[in-house]
């Protein structure tokens, strides 16, 4: 699309312990029809598997919020946060003005059978993935269809800026 220009690509390390226990944020700053928009995707710290707050997870959320704090224009932050909905790490986004679309749209699960069968001995977890949008984002629709393409369900956001 000739009306979309990539202004900046970034990768922000959120956490690194060992090669398979990492957290990172990928973001792109786009100019769409003369308007700047920030899109990002992340994979946050997976361990421990309970998906509750730890000091590292709270620092990750703070680092993401700080990364976008002074950026002008609409912001969309989504991906695998590896967190339960009631955690401080998730609530921090709402405290600074982001809308939690998982909560707002009353999504019942972002996980599926593939996840639960992978860890049958553990308590079934229904959440890991979230989409947060800044107030400037006009959400037309948000859905999490039950499509088993991985152990995470797809997050589909239809929006205007």
């Amino acid at each position: 699309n000739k009306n979309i220009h990539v202004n900046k690509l970034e990768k922000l390390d959120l956490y690194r312990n060992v090669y398979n226990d990492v957290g990172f944020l990928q973001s792109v700053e786009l100019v769409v029809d003369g308007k700047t928009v920030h899109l990002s995707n992340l994979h946050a710290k997976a361990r421990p598997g309970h998906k509750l707050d730890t000091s590292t997870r709270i620092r990750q959320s703070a680092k993401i919020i700080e990364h976008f704090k002074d950026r002008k224009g609409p912001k969309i932050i989504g991906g695998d946060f590896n967190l339960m909905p009631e955690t401080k790490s998730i609530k921090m986004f709402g405290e600074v003005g982001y809308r939690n679309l998982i909560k707002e749209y009353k999504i019942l699960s972002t996980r599926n059978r593939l996840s639960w069968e992978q860890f049958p001995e553990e308590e079934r977890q229904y959440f890991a993935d979230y989409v947060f949008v800044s107030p400037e984002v006009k959400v037309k629709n948000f859905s999490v269809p039950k499509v088993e393409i991985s152990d995470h369900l797809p997050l589909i956001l239809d929006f205007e800026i």
Side-chain angles (χ1 to χ4, degrees):
N1 186 326
K2 293 180 181 180
N3 295 326
I4 299 176
H5 173 74
V6 176
N7 218 26
K8 185 189 301 185
L9 294 169
E10 297 176 288
K11 180 180 178 191
L12 178 68
D13 286 330
L14 299 173
Y15 172 81
R16 181 175 300 278
N17 185 21
V18 293
Y19 78 96
N20 65 348
D21 189 16
V22 298
F24 58 90
L25 174 91
Q26 298 168 302
S27 66
V28 60
E29 180 181 288
L30 301 174
V31 178
V32 182
D33 295 327
K35 299 176 189 173
T36 300
V37 61
H38 303 274
L39 302 174
S40 66
N41 180 57
L42 73 118
H43 184 272
K45 182 170 174 36
R47 294 186 180 95
H50 56 57
K51 295 184 177 37
L52 300 175
D53 281 321
T54 64
S55 59
T56 299
R57 286 176 165 151
I58 290 169
R59 278 194 308 275
Q60 282 185 134
S61 291
K63 195 171 188 179
I64 295 164
I65 291 165
E66 181 66 24
H67 179 75
F68 290 106
K69 183 175 80 172
D70 295 324
R71 304 207 180 197
K72 305 294 184 219
K75 299 163 200 73
I76 300 170
I77 304 168
D80 183 0
F81 284 73
N82 277 310
L83 289 165
M84 299 302 282
E86 67 277 0
T87 58
K88 175 178 175 52
S89 301
I90 288 297
K91 291 177 182 174
M92 291 168 67
F93 288 89
E95 291 168 0
V96 296
Y98 286 95
R99 294 167 54 195
N100 177 345
L101 299 185
I102 295 296
K103 181 178 179 181
E104 187 174 318
Y105 281 76
K106 298 178 176 56
I107 302 301
L108 300 177
S109 182
T110 65
R111 305 306 300 271
N112 61 43
R113 170 188 64 80
L114 298 174
S115 170
W116 304 323
E117 288 175 0
Q118 186 178 7
F119 303 103
E121 70 287 347
E122 294 182 12
E123 184 177 338
R124 190 172 283 191
Q125 296 174 338
Y126 293 92
F127 296 95
D129 310 288
Y130 298 85
V131 174
F132 296 99
V133 297
S134 63
E136 309 91 335
V137 177
K138 297 177 188 113
V139 177
K140 294 168 68 175
N141 193 35
F142 177 71
S143 63
V144 181
K146 292 184 173 149
V147 178
E148 291 183 348
I149 54 174
S150 83
D151 59 331
H152 298 259
L153 296 174
L155 309 175
I156 301 175
L157 174 60
D158 185 9
F159 67 97
E160 292 179 6
I161 54 169

